[in-house]
Amino acid sequence: MEAELAAIVGADHVRADEGALLTFSTDATPLERGRPDVVVFPANTEEVAAVLRVANERRVPVVPRGSGTNLSAGTVPHRGGIVLVLTRMNALKEISEGDLVAVCEPGVRTIELASAVAARGLLFPPDPGSQTTATLGGNVAECSGGLRALKYGVTRDYVLGVEAVLGSGEVIRSGGRLVKDVAGYDLRRLLCGSEGTLAVMTELTLRLMPAPEASGTGMAYFRELGDAARAVSRVLASGILPVTLEFLDQVCIGSVEDFAHIGLDTSAGALLIFGQDGDPASIERDMARMAEACEAEGATEVRLASSPAEAAEVLEARRAALPSLSRLEPLTILEDATVPRSRIAEMVAHIQEIAGRYDLKIGTFGHAGDGNLHPTAVLDPADEDAVRRAHAAFGEIFARALELDGSITGEHGVGLVKLRYLEQQLGADHVALLRRIKAAFDPNGILNPGKLGS
Amino acid sequence: MEAELAAIVGADHVRADEGALLTFSTDATPLERGRPDVVVFPANTEEVAAVLRVANERRVPVVPRGSGTNLSAGTVPHRGGIVLVLTRMNALKEISEGDLVAVCEPGVRTIELASAVAARGLLFPPDPGSQTTATLGGNVAECSGGLRALKYGVTRDYVLGVEAVLGSGEVIRSGGRLVKDVAGYDLRRLLCGSEGTLAVMTELTLRLMPAPEASGTGMAYFRELGDAARAVSRVLASGILPVTLEFLDQVCIGSVEDFAHIGLDTSAGALLIFGQDGDPASIERDMARMAEACEAEGATEVRLASSPAEAAEVLEARRAALPSLSRLEPLTILEDATVPRSRIAEMVAHIQEIAGRYDLKIGTFGHAGDGNLHPTAVLDPADEDAVRRAHAAFGEIFARALELDGSITGEHGVGLVKLRYLEQQLGADHVALLRRIKAAFDPNGILNPGKLGS
């Protein structure tokens, strides 16, 4: 097969050496790995289509990927086969101010697009934590979220058009440059979040927005997480849609302070970080109203950043949450159970109870505005019992999230690691339907087999 | 079959009398009709599922519908069978300010939801022209647009969760109350715009937003439509995302003035109506900047409404466009070819050239912000040659829209009337894929057969 693949993409772009096979055996998910047979780097849509035709004929698994920053083992080639790496397809083809769209290949990194459009006074809102490394193809395949989802939505809300190659090697285009287009089923949004199981995306047309003029940032400490959750409800009920509304629980506040020494109040039960963007007058008004809402719910301290440096310091507390937890133990399991925002306090209380019962260190931070929580366990992978306890604890956490009308995954994807929980959320009939949809796109089941739709 | 259906929904809710069969033989699309065998009005999900199981066993077509306001003959039962009318399922079950969602049955009228949430200081943005009559189920099935799409998106952007019955009678739920939820393929958005061909939606969970405090409205006349189009580009390039950006061409200006006598300048080549919502200070600033942009592109007159009465008068010009054209001749064909907004002037020039060549009266108005045009032909249906010319002209209009990277339909749907153009836009492989997806949801092809996915 290697010779056949080399004839398509060139011998330089087919790798089966130990280094390549090792590099592409994992993504950002801990503990999961799978050895591919060969790694292929196509340069354009025609090469992708030709590779898929070969794989389809031979019934060889194909795992498409970009930078592999996903956290659900969505790009681990656990059944071997071809890893199709799309990072050579990294042309940012067009930024149109007139149509407010960008057209690019899937290998463009998210930060590159964000920076390029920012330089023209535009905004591409999706900002997943991995944005400096992650590719747009991966972001669309996983329907990445980020910190601005409450106000601006997630990746799916910015996918206007997609060119994609089906499992059979056929090339389709869905949508284009239009906000309004209802010709046919909405395949571009079906592909968004399909985790490489339906098609390989080869070109993306993404919606842009005018960039906001300015932004403001503030923070508030609370005795209890419940107080912070009520402040969130009060902010939203007051008619404000903030751009940032993030929280850290007590475990995270402590670990961030130990790590970054930025003077956080480690006696607080919760820290809420809030922000708004727009024009300066609206920001000032919204920030004042959010501060009032926090005070009304018993915030022990509220601070509005009065300079960009102060704002950066506040945001640093949120950004440091994951790295600070990660350095406590060699293994970090970062999850993304999600609940309606009115149930956040209840859910975090469940997480803390479960962590205690399983004798685990779990800190929870996340997106208070959209209910997307990141319970994060840190442990020693050599401690096999702790690993077992962590899996059991997360099983309970997911079950609790579902009881509260939530989801097993808000933004990380199902991948390999959450497939076992999917039927609990969707039911057997729904999962069977996913399989039939998968077969419509990929009749021989070569695309990322054993994951979503399998 | 009638007895079997009566056993499910009750004899009062099964109609096969001439009056019912006639009423439900059409929707809002001119010239298209089809006689159903029976009309059924279910009261809940279980009844819908039971009706579909009966129909599926007997291979009887089922055409789900609400108020039937669609303009693409999407709910015309041209193959007979059951018309499944969902207007009895009209419970507005919940409005949650905390989670910013509404939960409702499909038969709730759009205006009812919009009014109920407005009374609580919230906004449901999608505002299709038919909103006072149309149901939310129909809006979701058609992925309706409206006047606010540039700033707020279309119906799909507000569908968080769906309960739906497949062709086999199986009930699935996709999504729920969460902005972030990536567990499984995004079926709620696939169902949005699927035109009753994949499943019957029985419950909707819709995203709400805080209502803007205020709004502003203005208008500008231009000598040529090209000037107005450049003004639109200038507005967007200046970083403003207006809530309203509508235009009328010269034909529409004339017909509105003849009809409504509101003092429009009928010598103008184009009228642009623009508006913003938000807080008063931002509105004032944005309105001034939009007025400047119009002047910079040669507007012959710019007016900002200084009172709600004046604003209503300006908006009346846009609202009167369709009724004023409609009264010119007995038959009105309202289309929705859509192009990238940077190509609007070019497209309208094509439409005017085509209208002249086919000796037709076609006025064009529409959404300048999102490129969704409404070329509207008025003619006498007794003049068979004119009807033939109109069909040929629209065929050319769609072909031109596709040449300009546009779509045959921005918001009206494919339905029966545009199915013949679909392959031109999507290609044969894509259309074949739609058929396979349809089969995954509706293996016996009973749901709205002969339309999308057939």
Side-chain angles (χ1 to χ4, degrees):
Chain A
M1 190 170 60
E2 262 179 72
E4 223 172 331
L5 295 170
I8 296 166
V9 299
D12 287 355
H13 305 299
V14 177
R15 303 266 306 269
D17 54 291
E18 200 51 36
L21 298 186
L22 200 66
T23 300
F24 293 100
S25 66
T26 59
D27 52 29
T29 321
L31 306 179
E32 303 292 338
R33 55 176 56 241
R35 190 184 165 85
D37 297 310
V38 60
V39 185
V40 179
F41 301 79
N44 54 47
T45 305
E46 294 65 41
E47 291 185 7
V48 171
V51 169
L52 290 197
R53 281 193 299 269
V54 167
N56 192 45
E57 258 168 46
R58 294 171 175 254
R59 309 289 193 267
V60 174
V62 176
V63 179
R65 64 170 269 168
S67 301
T69 54
N70 84 82
L71 293 159
S72 53
T75 49
V76 168
H78 69 305
R79 297 198 176 167
I82 299 169
V83 170
L84 191 69
V85 187
L86 296 155
T87 47
R88 281 179 71 213
M89 293 177 64
N90 60 358
L92 180 41
K93 294 177 173 177
E94 184 194 353
I95 296 172
S96 164
E97 277 123 329
D99 289 338
L100 286 175
V101 297
V103 182
C104 68
E105 291 183 328
V108 172
R109 282 179 301 126
T110 312
I111 195 74
E112 281 178 69
L113 176 68
S115 310
V117 306
R120 304 207 198 178
L122 299 172
L123 175 70
F124 178 67
D127 59 346
S130 55
Q131 62 178 321
T132 54
T133 314
T135 62
L136 287 162
N139 286 174
V140 174
E142 299 287 320
C143 188
S144 300
L147 270 64
R148 296 190 277 215
L150 170 63
K151 182 167 182 175
Y152 290 113
V154 296
T155 301
R156 81 166 69 82
D157 299 305
Y158 295 88
V159 180
L160 292 180
V162 163
E163 179 191 72
V165 185
L166 308 186
S168 54
E170 287 168 15
V171 180
I172 62 154
R173 297 191 75 94
S174 173
R177 302 166 79 91
L178 307 172
V179 175
K180 285 183 178 169
D181 185 357
V182 293
Y185 300 140
D186 195 347
L187 301 190
R188 59 208 151 157
R189 284 185 181 77
L190 180 64
L191 291 175
C192 186
S194 64
E195 305 187 6
T197 65
L198 297 182
V200 179
M201 287 176 272
T202 48
E203 190 188 90
L204 305 167
T205 305
L206 301 166
R207 183 164 73 98
L208 306 174
M209 300 183 71
E213 266 176 77
S215 62
T217 304
M219 63 191 278
Y221 289 105
F222 295 87
R223 262 180 222 98
E224 309 265 342
L225 194 78
D227 298 342
R230 274 193 305 278
V232 167
S233 296
R234 189 179 274 259
V235 164
L236 295 171
S238 75
I240 299 171
L241 210 55
V243 69
T244 311
L245 206 48
E246 298 286 313
F247 79 96
L248 276 67
D249 74 355
Q250 187 158 28
V251 174
C252 292
I253 297 171
S255 94
V256 167
E257 184 52 27
D258 279 356
F259 172 69
H261 308 293
I262 48 182
L264 298 185
D265 173 5
T266 54
S267 73
L271 173 61
L272 192 67
I273 296 170
F274 51 94
Q276 185 57 299
D277 61 7
D279 69 274
S282 317
I283 291 172
E284 198 175 326
R285 201 195 49 166
D286 284 359
M287 293 302 293
R289 281 162 66 183
M290 290 197 276
E292 278 164 35
C294 291
E295 276 158 6
E297 296 297 349
T300 53
E301 190 192 334
V302 181
R303 234 165 60 199
L304 299 186
S306 57
S307 69
E310 262 184 65
E313 211 177 282
V314 171
L315 292 171
E316 174 61 16
R318 167 65 177 83
R319 285 209 197 88
L322 181 59
S324 75
L325 288 167
S326 296
R327 71 167 201 139
L328 298 180
E329 295 284 351
L331 176 64
T332 305
I333 303 179
L334 170 67
E335 273 304 344
D336 71 328
T338 303
V339 293
R341 68 175 76 84
S342 58
R343 319 295 292 267
I344 290 175
E346 213 176 326
M347 185 65 207
V348 175
H350 283 313
I351 293 170
Q352 288 168 347
E353 183 274 324
I354 292 166
R357 187 149 42 79
Y358 283 97
D359 189 22
L360 290 164
K361 186 158 187 108
I362 299 185
T364 303
F365 60 95
H367 315 294
D370 56 37
N372 183 207
L373 309 182
H374 291 305
T376 304
V378 291
L379 57 154
D380 181 352
D383 180 349
E384 285 177 22
D385 189 64
V387 172
R388 260 195 305 276
R389 291 199 315 273
H391 283 135
F394 277 114
E396 279 197 36
I397 287 171
F398 297 140
R400 285 291 189 183
L402 295 181
E403 281 166 25
L404 299 178
D405 289 331
S407 174
I408 58 171
T409 175
E411 59 184 9
H412 292 175
V414 174
L416 203 52
V417 298
K418 285 200 258 198
L419 200 58
R420 82 191 78 162
Y421 305 109
L422 190 64
E423 194 168 313
Q424 239 172 292
Q425 179 166 342
L426 301 182
D429 284 348
H430 189 145
V431 169
L433 173 60
L434 299 187
R435 287 196 191 104
R436 297 196 297 273
I437 294 170
K438 156 92 172 161
F441 283 82
D442 177 27
N444 293 323
I446 61 160
L447 287 171
N448 219 350
K451 296 179 188 158
L452 207 49
S454 296
Chain B
M1 190 169 61
E2 263 179 72
E4 223 174 329
L5 294 170
I8 296 166
V9 299
D12 287 355
H13 305 300
V14 178
R15 301 267 306 269
D17 54 290
E18 200 51 35
L21 299 186
L22 201 66
T23 301
F24 293 100
S25 66
T26 59
D27 53 29
T29 321
L31 305 180
E32 303 291 339
R33 54 176 57 241
R35 189 184 165 86
D37 297 309
V38 60
V39 185
V40 179
F41 302 79
N44 54 47
T45 306
E46 293 66 41
E47 292 185 6
V48 171
V51 170
L52 290 196
R53 282 193 298 269
V54 168
N56 193 44
E57 259 168 45
R58 295 171 174 255
R59 309 288 193 267
V60 173
V62 176
V63 179
R65 64 170 270 168
S67 301
T69 53
N70 84 80
L71 293 158
S72 54
T75 50
V76 167
H78 70 303
R79 296 199 177 165
I82 299 168
V83 170
L84 191 70
V85 187
L86 296 155
T87 47
R88 282 180 71 213
M89 294 177 64
N90 61 357
L92 180 40
K93 294 176 173 177
E94 184 193 352
I95 296 172
S96 164
E97 277 123 329
D99 289 338
L100 286 175
V101 298
V103 182
C104 68
E105 291 183 327
V108 172
R109 282 179 302 127
T110 312
I111 194 76
E112 282 177 68
L113 176 69
S115 308
V117 306
R120 303 205 198 179
L122 299 171
L123 175 70
F124 178 68
D127 59 346
S130 57
Q131 61 176 324
T132 54
T133 314
T135 61
L136 287 162
N139 286 173
V140 174
E142 299 287 320
C143 189
S144 300
L147 269 65
R148 296 190 276 216
L150 169 63
K151 182 166 182 176
Y152 290 113
V154 295
T155 300
R156 80 166 69 82
D157 299 305
Y158 295 87
V159 180
L160 291 181
V162 163
E163 179 191 73
V165 185
L166 309 186
S168 55
E170 288 168 13
V171 180
I172 62 153
R173 296 191 75 94
S174 173
R177 304 166 77 91
L178 307 172
V179 175
K180 285 182 178 169
D181 185 356
V182 293
Y185 300 141
D186 194 348
L187 302 190
R188 60 208 150 156
R189 284 187 181 76
L190 180 63
L191 291 175
C192 187
S194 64
E195 304 187 7
T197 64
L198 297 181
V200 179
M201 286 176 273
T202 48
E203 190 188 89
L204 304 167
T205 304
L206 302 167
R207 183 164 73 97
L208 306 174
M209 300 184 72
E213 267 177 76
S215 62
T217 305
M219 62 191 278
Y221 290 105
F222 296 86
R223 260 180 223 98
E224 310 264 342
L225 194 78
D227 298 343
R230 274 193 305 279
V232 166
S233 297
R234 188 179 275 258
V235 163
L236 295 170
S238 75
I240 299 171
L241 209 56
V243 68
T244 311
L245 207 47
E246 298 287 311
F247 79 96
L248 276 67
D249 74 356
Q250 187 157 29
V251 174
C252 293
I253 296 171
S255 95
V256 167
E257 184 51 28
D258 280 353
F259 172 69
H261 308 292
I262 47 181
L264 299 184
D265 174 4
T266 54
S267 73
L271 173 61
L272 192 67
I273 296 169
F274 52 92
Q276 185 58 299
D277 62 6
D279 68 275
S282 317
I283 291 172
E284 197 174 327
R285 201 196 49 169
D286 283 0
M287 293 302 293
R289 280 161 68 184
M290 289 196 276
E292 277 164 34
C294 290
E295 276 156 8
E297 295 298 349
T300 53
E301 190 193 335
V302 181
R303 235 165 59 200
L304 299 186
S306 58
S307 69
E310 263 184 65
E313 209 177 283
V314 171
L315 293 171
E316 174 61 17
R318 168 65 177 81
R319 284 207 198 89
L322 180 59
S324 75
L325 289 166
S326 297
R327 65 160 211 146
L328 297 180
E329 295 284 352
L331 176 64
T332 306
I333 304 178
L334 170 67
E335 274 303 345
D336 71 327
T338 303
V339 293
R341 68 176 75 85
S342 58
R343 319 295 291 269
I344 291 175
E346 213 176 325
M347 185 65 206
V348 175
H350 284 313
I351 293 170
Q352 288 168 346
E353 184 274 324
I354 292 166
R357 188 149 41 80
Y358 283 98
D359 190 20
L360 290 164
K361 185 157 188 109
I362 299 185
T364 303
F365 59 95
H367 315 293
D370 56 38
N372 182 207
L373 308 182
H374 291 304
T376 303
V378 290
L379 58 152
D380 181 352
D383 181 349
E384 284 176 22
D385 189 64
V387 172
R388 259 196 305 276
R389 291 199 316 273
H391 283 136
F394 278 114
E396 280 197 36
I397 287 171
F398 297 141
R400 285 292 188 182
L402 295 181
E403 281 167 25
L404 298 178
D405 289 331
S407 174
I408 57 172
T409 175
E411 57 185 11
H412 291 176
V414 174
L416 204 52
V417 297
K418 285 199 258 198
L419 201 57
R420 81 192 78 162
Y421 305 109
L422 190 64
E423 193 168 315
Q424 239 173 291
Q425 179 166 342
L426 301 182
D429 284 349
H430 189 146
V431 169
L433 173 60
L434 299 187
R435 287 195 193 105
R436 296 195 298 272
I437 293 171
K438 156 92 172 162
F441 282 83
D442 177 27
N444 293 323
I446 62 161
L447 288 171
N448 220 350
K451 296 180 187 157
L452 207 49
S454 296

